């Protein structure tokens, strides 16, 4: 008969998200994970598999909690352009909260996606969810007459996604909040006055 787990796998996964977000994949050792998760190696391997599988699970968790939350807010917003604007203008405050950690998805895109097809798939999925939310919001804004009727919402959504990710990377690199806000306003200019 199998012994019951002496730890909460969801809490352990949350701790893994925090550790990978702070240190990255390469700088996180199995010993770091064992200590941060508060479990022994056999429990880590038995529950999550190896470090790579745990990293993928951490990215997936981050996407479900952070990326899907932002995408959901965009898609539920009564005023889609205002919601997009707010998402961009929240970046300086988020950067202040998260310090130099940036975004786990952006970090994974830079560190592991170029050399790891599984990570690339997770990162692409997360970015696609956010890009789709931008496009749907822009489609709703166009239908409401807030955007030109001939606006290419797919291209504009890609542009917004690129600007959003770029701002997050700049924030991680230490760009000052006033500079981030100024750049955000320039990125948002094609949407019209806010």
């Amino acid at each position: 008969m199998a012994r019951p787990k002496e730890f909460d796998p969801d809490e352990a996964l949350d701790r893994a998200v925090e550790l990978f977000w702070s240190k990255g994949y390469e700088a996180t050792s199995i010993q770091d994970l064992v200590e941060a998760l508060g479990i022994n190696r056999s429990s880590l391997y038995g529950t999550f598999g190896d470090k790579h599988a745990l990293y993928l699970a951490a990215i997936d968790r981050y996407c479900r909690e952070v990326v899907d939350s932002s995408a959901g807010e965009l898609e539920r917003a009564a005023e889609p352009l205002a919601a997009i604007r707010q998402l961009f203008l929240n970046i300086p405050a988020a950067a202040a909260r998260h310090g130099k950690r940036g975004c786990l998805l952006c970090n994974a895109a830079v560190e592991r996606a170029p050399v790891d097809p599984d990570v690339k798939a997770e990162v692409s999925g997360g970015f696609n969810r956010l890009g789709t939310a931008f496009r749907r919001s822009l489609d709703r804004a166009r239908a409401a007459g807030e955007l030109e009727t001939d606006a290419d919402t797919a291209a504009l959504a890609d542009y917004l996604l690129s600007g959003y990710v770029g701002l997050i990377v700049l924030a991680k690199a230490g760009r000052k909040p006033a500079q981030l806000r100024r750049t955000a306003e320039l990125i948002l200019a094609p949407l019209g006055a806010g």
Side-chain angles (χ1 to χ4, degrees), residues 3 20 32 57 76-77 79-80 89 98 101 107-108 121 126 150 168-169 187 189 194:
R3 293 184 343 172
F20 284 128
D32 292 334
R76 289 187 302 272
E79 298 178 20
L89 296 178
H98 300 306
R101 292 190 310 169
N107 297 349
D150 63 346
I168 290 170
V169 171
I187 292 167

Side-chain angles (χ1 to χ4, degrees), residues 63-88:
C63 285
R64 284 186 284 117
E65 292 184 356
V66 177
V67 176
D68 289 354
S69 173
S70 295
E73 287 175 22
L74 287 174
E75 292 184 353
R76 289 187 302 272
E79 298 178 20
L81 294 185
I84 291 171
R85 176 173 290 283
Q86 192 58 53
L87 185 67
F88 273 80

Side-chain angles (χ1 to χ4, degrees), residues 1-60:
M1 183 162 140
R3 293 184 343 172
K5 292 195 185 310
E6 297 175 7
F7 66 95
D8 181 339
D10 283 332
E11 287 181 17
L13 183 54
D14 287 340
R15 289 189 200 117
V17 168
E18 293 297 320
L19 186 60
F20 284 128
W21 192 1
S22 296
K23 293 184 74 171
Y25 180 81
E26 293 298 333
T28 300
S29 68
I30 291 294
Q31 187 59 38
D32 292 334
L33 288 164
V34 165
E35 291 172 8
L37 276 58
I39 61 177
N40 61 42
R41 285 175 189 257
S42 63
S43 293
L44 187 147
Y45 289 120
T47 303
F48 301 109
D50 59 11
K51 175 182 163 181
H52 184 258
L54 181 54
Y55 185 61
L56 293 173
I59 295 170
D60 182 66

Side-chain angles (χ1 to χ4, degrees), residues 31-188:
Q31 187 59 38
D32 292 334
L33 288 164
V34 165
E35 291 172 8
L37 276 58
I39 61 177
N40 61 42
R41 285 175 189 257
S42 63
S43 293
L44 187 147
Y45 289 120
T47 303
F48 301 109
D50 59 11
K51 175 182 163 181
H52 184 258
L54 181 54
Y55 185 61
L56 293 173
I59 295 170
D60 182 66
R61 169 68 61 94
Y62 181 88
C63 285
R64 284 186 284 117
E65 292 184 356
V66 177
V67 176
D68 289 354
S69 173
S70 295
E73 287 175 22
L74 287 174
E75 292 184 353
R76 289 187 302 272
E79 298 178 20
L81 294 185
I84 291 171
R85 176 173 290 283
Q86 192 58 53
L87 185 67
F88 273 80
L89 296 178
N90 285 342
I91 291 173
R97 265 193 326 275
H98 300 306
K100 300 284 186 198
R101 292 190 310 169
C103 161
L104 179 58
L105 196 60
C106 293
N107 297 349
V110 172
E111 181 184 14
R112 296 294 306 161
V115 297
D116 186 327
D118 296 327
V119 172
K120 182 178 181 178
E122 285 287 340
V123 167
S124 293
F127 285 152
N128 287 342
R129 287 198 292 275
L130 189 55
T132 297
F134 280 135
R135 186 187 46 76
R136 288 178 179 161
S137 296
L138 293 166
D139 286 342
R140 288 186 6 252
R142 184 176 60 190
E146 296 177 19
L147 281 177
E148 298 290 328
T149 56
D150 63 346
D152 183 345
T153 57
L156 191 51
D158 284 343
Y159 163 78
L160 289 173
L161 179 62
S162 298
Y164 186 74
V165 169
L167 281 173
I168 290 170
V169 171
L170 288 172
K172 180 176 177 163
R175 186 69 51 104
K176 301 240 183 286
Q179 293 171 305
L180 293 171
R181 279 190 292 278
R182 187 172 59 243
T183 304
E185 291 292 350
L186 290 171
I187 292 167
L188 294 166

